[in-house]
Amino acid sequence: MMSDLIKDLVTYPFLRRGNYQLKVSVLKKMSVVVVGNHLQDVDKFFVKHFSNLEEAANFIEFLLLKDEQDGR
């Protein structure tokens, strides 16, 4: 059973966008976990769960835009 779970889990390498370092994992193309940390503010660490890839992508885009605006 554990091998079936591992077979359906895809974890991508760390990704750096803006001031964030992100790690994305997808389970059976239905469940997405995003782990992120801000490179300059340790209080901005998060772990978020999404039910699909589109929600995760929208969250990441919003997060990066908000961080860019806050930095100005």
Side-chain angles (χ1 to χ4, degrees):
M1 181 162 157
M2 184 62 125
S3 64
D4 291 337
L5 178 65
I6 293 171
K7 199 168 49 174
D8 294 332
L9 177 66
V10 178
T11 300
Y12 295 95
F14 277 103
L15 167 69
R16 181 174 176 184
R17 293 289 181 259
N19 292 320
Y20 279 92
Q21 183 174 356
L22 305 164
K23 182 78 165 179
V24 179
S25 297
V26 181
L27 178 63
K28 294 186 179 185
K29 298 181 183 178
M30 294 185 281
S31 187
V32 182
V33 174
V34 179
V35 178
N37 66 300
H38 196 276
L39 298 173
Q40 298 170 352
D41 186 353
V42 295
D43 292 332
K44 292 185 178 180
F45 173 83
F46 66 88
V47 178
K48 294 276 191 181
H49 174 263
F50 302 94
S51 58
N52 63 51
L53 288 168
E54 187 175 337
E55 287 179 17
N58 288 339
F59 172 76
I60 291 170
E61 183 177 346
F62 168 77
L63 183 71
L64 297 175
L65 287 173
K66 184 177 180 311
D67 187 57
E68 183 180 311
Q69 290 174 352
D70 290 347
R72 291 182 181 168

